[in-house]
Amino acid sequence: HKEKSRKRKKNGTMAICRRNGLCYTIGYMTKWQKEGHSLRYTGYEYIWFFFIYAFIGWLIEVVFAAFSRKRFANRGFLNGPLCPVYGCGMVFLQLFFGGLLQNLFFLFIGSFVTTSLLEYFTGKLMERFYGRKWWDYSDYKYNFGGYV
């Protein structure tokens, strides 16, 4: 069943009406949404994006480390299969740049800047809170503070 339309009701709720005529309420709208802005996904979907991409990021890091070091290495600071910086990065990209799919140049530039800043500030905060550097790119050309 494909969505047919979204209808705003006066009481601040939003209804989704399907082609078969069934409508259901999806919850109260925020002031921001009432002013005409809308999110591309629900809060639950953003939570799913976070966990899916945090897991995919962890998996890629582990596979890369396993091939590089010839042994398993649990990447990340959590005791589990998640790297939150990847999940946060994906959620930020969806929130801030989801509407730029038609303009790939600005999508690329925005994604590059946003994820670089996220990685830089995450690295700085983790070093400050935990007293050690969790990743270091100082040996790479064009690095930024060793974090990016």
Side-chain angles (χ1 to χ4, degrees):
H1 299 279
K2 298 272 184 178
E3 281 185 26
K4 185 175 182 184
S5 65
R6 291 177 184 250
K7 298 179 182 177
R8 291 190 175 108
K9 295 182 177 182
K10 288 183 181 179
N11 66 356
T13 62
M14 183 178 285
I16 294 181
C17 297
R18 304 250 180 208
R19 288 190 179 151
N20 60 7
L22 295 174
C23 295
Y24 59 93
T25 301
I26 60 170
Y28 289 95
M29 296 182 344
T30 64
K31 181 181 177 186
W32 186 71
Q33 289 171 316
K34 287 179 188 175
E35 293 171 354
H37 305 284
S38 65
L39 297 175
R40 294 172 53 91
Y41 300 101
T42 66
Y44 292 116
E45 289 171 318
Y46 285 114
I47 292 169
W48 274 107
F49 282 140
F50 173 82
F51 282 106
I52 289 167
Y53 284 92
F55 174 74
I56 291 171
W58 174 84
L59 190 63
I60 291 169
E61 291 262 351
V62 167
V63 168
F64 180 76
F67 280 114
S68 299
R69 299 177 183 173
K70 308 282 192 260
R71 63 180 174 85
F72 175 79
N74 185 14
R75 302 287 296 173
F77 72 102
L78 296 176
N79 290 329
L82 296 174
C83 280
V85 71
Y86 291 101
C88 289
M90 185 59 192
V91 170
F92 287 166
L93 294 181
Q94 284 293 337
L95 285 171
F96 300 133
F97 304 108
L100 287 179
L101 295 176
Q102 307 308 323
N103 192 333
L104 294 180
F105 176 75
F106 287 113
L107 177 64
F108 173 77
I109 297 299
S111 299
F112 173 77
V113 170
T114 301
T115 54
S116 296
L117 289 173
L118 176 66
E119 187 169 9
Y120 178 78
F121 286 113
T122 301
K124 285 292 245 186
L125 286 172
M126 289 181 69
E127 183 177 6
R128 185 176 192 134
F129 287 135
Y130 296 107
R132 73 179 198 116
K133 210 169 195 175
W134 288 84
W135 60 87
D136 189 4
Y137 300 126
S138 297
D139 296 338
Y140 292 92
K141 194 174 186 180
Y142 306 117
N143 76 80
F144 186 68
Y147 297 109
V148 180

